[in-house]
Amino acid sequence: MKREQTMHGVTKKRPLLVRFPGAGPARVHLVCVAHAGAGVAPFNRWADHLPSWVSLIAVRLPGRESRLRESPFTSLDAAAGEVAGELAAQEGPLVFFGHCFGAVLAYRAARLMERTGRDDILRLVVAAAPAPDRTVGQDTHRLSGDALFQQLARYGAVQNTDRGRTLFELSEPAIRADFQALETWQPGDEAIRPLAAPVLEVRGDSDEVLEPGTAGWSPWTTSEHRRLTVPGPHFLLGDAVGGLLAVIARQLEEDLSREQPRPATGPHPVPSNTAPRSGGI
């Protein structure tokens, strides 16, 4: 683990949350979690394209970017607990966003915060993401290095070039750990209760990874569920990000215009009568 020394010689961890404040007073905090193996880099320019009153908070888990030497989480609930704990003192309404793996982690963190009585989580936005119960039991994290690279290249998450291969090799431990956390998650009765917050599900119109016609995220909220399609492939954080950002900005405007407290927990467990499916990253 890479160490930073304080004046007393005590090891200090690199921060989990990276903040990109807007140009104006914050009306909402947008908490963003990227796909498997990624950190905050995909969100570096987002603040330039969102309303000035949005405070952007990106999650940098161990094992990537400036935390490359730290051991990554292999437990979804451990990672979600860390995120929820770091956000506990954050004042003001929260909206969670997650892409692929990041969507399930964002769901779990939001759910943990609702359990503590937090009633100002306005929404969960999930992009190019299978519902939480549709990746459990898969074995992507056990693929060989070459097979994993080729699969990510098909998703559009890495470039099938020498440089892409080099970057993949640097992030491979974190990618594997994220898939392991997702695919070995053992949701108990509490864990699969839906959110009180509404869910917006966004998919690319040329996504060839997610299976069409699945139940999606509708059972994972006791509130409103919406599904929108934007131009783009499965990987929406690349060249297709403009359409995604426009959708998020409109949704934030709408949610703030009708903001009101909600019960902090959903009353019914999520039905789990579908077979697990592979669903991307």
Side-chain angles (χ1 to χ4, degrees):
M1 178 183 295
K2 189 172 183 178
R3 298 178 181 273
E4 294 181 0
Q5 297 296 320
T6 69
M7 62 183 296
H8 301 293
V10 177
T11 300
K12 180 181 179 181
K13 291 194 305 182
R14 298 277 187 173
L16 176 76
L17 304 178
V18 178
R19 290 175 166 81
F20 301 88
R27 296 176 57 200
V28 64
H29 304 285
L30 178 62
V31 181
C32 297
V33 191
H35 50 286
V40 305
F43 309 112
N44 280 343
R45 301 301 301 272
W46 274 34
D48 297 338
H49 303 281
L50 292 169
S52 62
W53 40 262
V54 176
S55 168
L56 182 67
I57 302 175
V59 174
R60 179 184 283 146
L61 294 171
R64 62 217 75 203
E65 297 175 347
S66 64
R67 307 186 71 184
L68 189 64
R69 295 179 183 270
E70 298 181 42
S71 298
F73 287 110
T74 56
S75 163
L76 184 68
D77 283 340
E82 192 86 356
V83 174
E86 289 289 321
L87 287 168
Q90 182 67 60
E91 297 181 354
L94 300 174
V95 171
F96 282 84
F97 167 83
H99 186 277
C100 302
F101 155 81
V104 183
L105 179 57
Y107 154 75
R108 284 298 297 138
R111 174 70 187 130
L112 290 172
M113 295 189 76
E114 286 188 345
R115 284 184 62 196
T116 68
R118 188 89 184 221
D119 64 356
D120 60 351
I121 297 174
L122 300 186
R123 182 172 294 272
L124 170 66
V125 181
V126 298
D133 59 337
R134 293 180 176 262
T135 53
V136 175
Q138 302 301 314
D139 57 0
T140 303
H141 66 286
R142 299 183 185 275
L143 292 176
S144 68
D146 186 65
L148 181 58
F149 176 79
Q150 294 301 329
Q151 179 164 310
L152 295 179
R154 289 195 299 273
Y155 292 168
V158 298
Q159 298 297 314
N160 198 358
T161 62
D162 289 344
R163 174 175 168 76
R165 173 74 71 170
T166 299
L167 294 175
F168 163 77
E169 289 173 355
L170 284 173
S171 58
E172 184 178 356
I175 294 171
R176 288 190 182 279
D178 289 351
F179 273 115
Q180 181 178 348
L182 192 64
E183 294 170 345
T184 61
W185 183 45
Q186 297 293 329
D189 290 343
E190 185 284 322
I192 62 172
R193 289 187 181 275
L195 290 170
V199 174
L200 171 63
E201 184 178 355
V202 185
R203 297 189 182 199
D205 60 3
S206 57
D207 191 330
E208 297 180 352
V209 176
L210 295 182
E211 297 185 28
T214 61
W217 286 77
S218 58
W220 295 85
T221 174
T222 59
S223 185
E224 171 198 71
H225 168 263
R226 298 175 65 192
R227 178 182 291 175
L228 296 179
T229 301
V230 297
H234 175 73
F235 189 68
L236 292 176
L237 298 186
D239 294 339
V241 75
L244 175 63
L245 283 169
V247 164
I248 292 173
R250 288 195 299 269
Q251 189 63 67
L252 292 175
E253 291 265 14
E254 180 180 325
D255 288 339
L256 284 174
S257 70
R258 62 181 184 182
E259 180 187 353
Q260 56 182 335
R262 292 179 310 276
T265 184
H268 304 297
V270 174
S272 184
N273 54 6
T274 56
R277 301 168 183 261
S278 177
I281 59 173

